[in-house]
Amino acid sequence: MFSEKRYARLKWACRRGMLELDVLLLPFVEEAFNNLDEQQKETFERLLTCDDPDLYAWFMGHQKCEDPQLAAMVSHIVNRVKV
């Protein structure tokens, strides 16, 4: 379960300093994170530990993430933006 403190840290971790990532991650955590199941929340938290160049490449479609759980989360976030 995500406590308020853990959620606040997660929200802070969404501030990447790269505009392209900030506009994807921060709105996602504010608007959609609470609708995820616990496994997806853990995956999202793990996604935020990845390096910015990797995240950028995955979100922009320049590279495919090799981790299936992280790739599914990236796809989930990208598809949410496209809707």
Side-chain angles (χ1 to χ4, degrees), residues 2-42:
F2 276 75
S3 66
E4 277 297 315
K5 189 174 183 178
R6 189 173 175 189
Y7 177 77
R9 278 195 299 256
L10 191 72
K11 199 170 170 182
W12 182 256
C14 287
R15 299 176 50 150
R16 307 302 288 208
M18 184 182 287
L19 181 62
E20 295 85 351
L21 296 177
D22 290 349
V23 299
L24 287 170
L25 297 173
L26 195 54
F28 179 82
V29 80
E30 290 175 341
E31 299 165 9
F33 181 77
N34 289 326
N35 296 328
L36 301 176
D37 64 33
E38 288 303 312
Q39 180 62 43
Q40 289 173 314
K41 288 178 180 180
E42 296 285 338

